[in-house]
Structure formats: structure tokens, C-alpha cells
Amino acid sequence: MKGLGVAGVTALAGCSAGGDSGGDSDTVQAAFAYLTQPGDHGWTAEHHEAVEAVDEKFDWLEVSTTNEVSNEDVGRIMRQYAESGQDICVGTSFGYMDTMHEVASNYEDTLFEHCAGFRTRENMGRYFAHMDQTYFLAGVAAGMVSETDTIGFLAPFPIAEVLRFVNAFAIGGALNNEDISVRVRWMDSWFDPPTAKQGVNSLVDSGADVVTGAMDSPATVEATKSNGVWGIGANSPMKSFGGDTYLTGVVYNWEPFYTQLMQDVRNDEWDSDFYWGHIRDEAVELDEWGPQVPSEVKDAVETEKQALVDGDRTIWDGTKFEGESDEFLFSEMGSFVPEVDSEIP
């Protein structure tokens, strides 16, 4: 693999023999824009790991990636992709949405997919995964292990996605602990390790003995380890950073979606719909349990997970959001459940 920097494209070495050749013989060219370097953990790492796996799976697939694409530069990158003949252009950051929507209007013969957003065109789809389900399950564990009845959340921005995560975490926390309270610290960033550590320290000072968030680094669980409180990782496995006080983590798994996406493009079955992957689809999952997690906590979480998988409950049952549409839950949620003891800026 040859890296060409922020302005260049890295071509992944696909599987040249033994891959699934299904369908016809046409090659599919796919390009992915990443907000950061993939690294070994975090949001971009999970996307890239899935992209590599799918690239190796299909010998008819040619994949290119571009790292460190800012919101300001994504338009240029997407135009470059379209003009170079890419069949499908994928943007993996929420902040790319409006620009990709505009670019797609000028390249009607090119397909686009955007992660985490809510705008589509005839040639632009959108996708995400139900991370709210894993935050709910992590909340169940947090509520059971908390001795102060106060658990904390590092929230990047006051958008519907983050509010959904916080609410799900709080609902899970209260499931077996009616006294639980969630306190939020607003980070104004998806990636800021020093500020994340300061946020953890602040939450611990306010009484939280379990902390999670949606920040894209291991800084959260490194700080919980330093403070001797339970920590829950986000986006990718982070057990190795959390020490004995690691509880679990909420983890994306994009491989099933990217596998189906590439097959649909090749078979001319792609549609600009909205994929919202469920825990039953293995689109999201919990990380391994930490070394000190009680067995009764694991058992309680497994019971709730199975209920979600079987469709016997949703995380919103019995709450102010019960019965709300997917569109509301995804893009319009604008308030907290009572268990959240914080304001929305």
C-alpha cells in the first residue's frame, strides 16, 4: 500500500486470486474519504478495517482511500473521485453531508454514499448503524456497577445523533437502577484527547464513577483508568487502554454493509435508500468485557441484548420517545430523558 498524503489517493491491494467473483465480470471502482488517518483504533480505523476486508473478499473490486479529508476539502476530493471514473464514492464523516449532496447533483452518473447524515439524492444514499442500541446495553452495565448513582458522558456536539446516544445510555442505566443520573460534558469536537481527559476529570469530580462518550480516541478510558473509575470505550475496541476498570465498549462493524454495498453496485441493484444497521445485523456490538466486570452484569446485559435481537423490545419502550418514527429518532431528537441531569447548549 502506498500512501500519497492528504491530497492523494491510496490504492488498496485487492485480492487478485481466489476472491468471490459472483455476478458479471465488470470491475467496481470504489473510493472512500476519511476524516483522519486510520490508525489502530477509533472511527476511521473501523471503517478502514471493513474496507480492507471487503477489498480482499472480491477480486472484481478496486478500492482507493484518501486520509485526512477536511470538511472544507471534501468537495474537491469527491469531484476528483467522480472525474476519475469511480463507480461509488463514500464519505465517512457527518460533516461531509452538505458538500457531498451538492457535488452529487453535478455527477449524476456517479453513485455516492454518506455516513451518519440525513440527506439523499437519486444518486446519493446514506447509511449508519444503531449505536444507540449498544450505548443502551453499556448503560445497563454502567447503572449496575455504579456506586454513586452518577454516570458521565462526553458529548461531542448537540446534534440528534449524540442526543440519541446519551438518551440510550441513560435509559439503559436506569433499567436496573432507578436512582441513576447521567451528567454530560460538551466537548465541541469529535477528536480532542486532552479535552476528553479534562472532561473525564470534571465528571469524576462531580461524582461520576462510570464514564463513556463518543470521542474518537482512547483518551476517555485512559483517563478513567487514571481516576480509578469504570470506563466505556467508543467506536472501536479499547480494552487494552482501560486497565482493570475497563467495563466494555461500543463498537461499529461496517463490513456487512460495505459487502452488500459493493455487491449491489456491481449487480446494478444499488438504491439511494437509508441503511440503519441493527444489532441483529452485527452492524454494532459490545467490546469484550473488562477483567473485573461481575458476572451478574454480563448476564443482565446479555438478556437485554437478546431482547433487542429478537425484536421483543426497543430501547425507547416506556420512555418519552416510545412510538417515534425512525426519521424523528435519527434526525429530529432534540431533548433529553429525565435521567439526564444536563442542559443542551
Side-chain angles (χ1 to χ4, degrees):
M1 184 185 302
K2 182 179 180 183
L4 300 180
V6 62
V9 176
T10 298
L12 300 185
C15 179
S16 60
D20 180 357
S21 61
D24 56 36
S25 60
D26 294 339
T27 296
V28 171
Q29 297 186 56
F32 291 75
Y34 299 149
L35 184 64
T36 64
Q37 292 281 345
D40 298 322
H41 49 262
W43 171 266
T44 298
E46 290 303 293
H47 282 281
H48 190 61
E49 181 178 315
V51 169
E52 287 187 312
V54 175
D55 189 47
E56 292 177 359
K57 188 178 299 185
F58 299 130
D59 58 9
W60 43 261
L61 180 62
E62 295 181 0
V63 172
S64 302
T65 65
T66 310
N67 301 330
E68 298 182 307
V69 179
S70 67
N71 294 341
E72 294 73 22
D73 201 32
V74 69
R76 181 181 65 83
I77 295 298
M78 287 294 158
R79 287 190 293 271
Q80 176 182 314
Y81 285 167
E83 291 171 6
S84 67
Q86 300 296 320
D87 298 298
I88 178 84
C89 307
V90 184
T92 61
S93 176
F94 176 83
Y96 296 166
M97 178 179 66
D98 290 339
T99 302
M100 286 186 62
H101 192 255
E102 180 181 356
V103 170
S105 69
N106 297 316
Y107 296 93
E108 297 180 355
D109 293 333
T110 302
L111 305 180
F112 295 82
E113 281 280 357
H114 176 250
C115 185
F118 49 84
R119 303 187 71 179
T120 61
R121 288 189 181 277
E122 186 175 346
N123 64 327
M124 177 175 161
R126 61 190 178 109
Y127 67 101
F128 204 50
H130 267 290
M131 189 58 91
D132 46 358
Q133 295 174 330
T134 42
Y135 274 112
F136 166 77
L137 296 176
V140 173
M144 293 180 69
V145 301
S146 177
E147 297 179 358
T148 65
D149 298 328
T150 301
I151 57 181
F153 198 105
L154 302 181
F157 296 101
I159 60 175
E161 173 187 333
V162 176
L163 301 187
R164 191 170 65 249
F165 294 167
V166 176
N167 282 328
F169 185 60
I171 293 166
L175 194 66
N176 295 309
N177 183 349
E178 62 182 13
D179 297 321
I180 208 69
S181 175
V182 176
R183 294 183 180 172
V184 176
R185 293 293 181 271
W186 296 99
M187 299 287 99
D188 296 320
S189 175
W190 295 106
F191 179 81
D192 188 339
T195 300
K197 290 183 178 181
Q198 293 171 8
V200 171
N201 294 340
S202 174
L203 287 167
V204 172
D205 289 344
S206 70
D209 61 353
V210 188
V211 179
T212 189
M215 300 291 285
D216 193 24
S217 84
T220 301
V221 295
E222 289 175 333
T224 55
K225 175 184 176 181
S226 298
N227 280 280
V229 300
W230 293 102
I232 299 169
N235 295 337
S236 67
M238 294 183 177
K239 181 179 179 181
S240 61
F241 299 94
D244 288 343
T245 59
Y246 189 73
L247 190 57
T248 184
V250 294
V251 180
Y252 289 99
N253 175 24
W254 300 111
E255 185 176 345
F257 172 73
Y258 286 150
T259 297
Q260 189 62 54
L261 174 64
M262 297 309 158
Q263 290 175 320
D264 287 347
V265 171
R266 185 168 190 252
N267 296 328
D268 199 25
E269 296 175 351
W270 181 91
D271 190 17
S272 61
D273 56 4
F274 172 38
Y275 170 85
W276 199 2
H278 197 278
I279 196 168
R280 74 170 65 93
D281 307 322
E282 299 182 344
V284 292
E285 55 196 12
L286 284 179
D287 192 10
E288 295 179 46
W289 293 107
Q292 303 296 329
V293 180
S295 58
E296 58 266 29
V297 172
K298 300 177 185 179
D299 292 343
V301 170
E302 182 58 34
T303 296
E304 296 304 323
K305 175 184 176 181
Q306 196 59 49
L308 292 174
V309 170
D310 293 342
D312 294 335
R313 67 160 298 141
T314 76
I315 61 180
W316 312 111
D317 291 348
T319 76
K320 62 189 283 188
F321 300 119
E322 182 174 6
E324 293 285 4
S325 67
D326 279 355
E327 188 62 27
F328 173 89
L329 295 172
F330 189 83
S331 59
E332 300 173 19
M333 184 176 287
S335 62
F336 281 142
V337 293
E339 292 81 5
V340 182
D341 182 20
S342 293
E343 299 295 325
I344 300 171

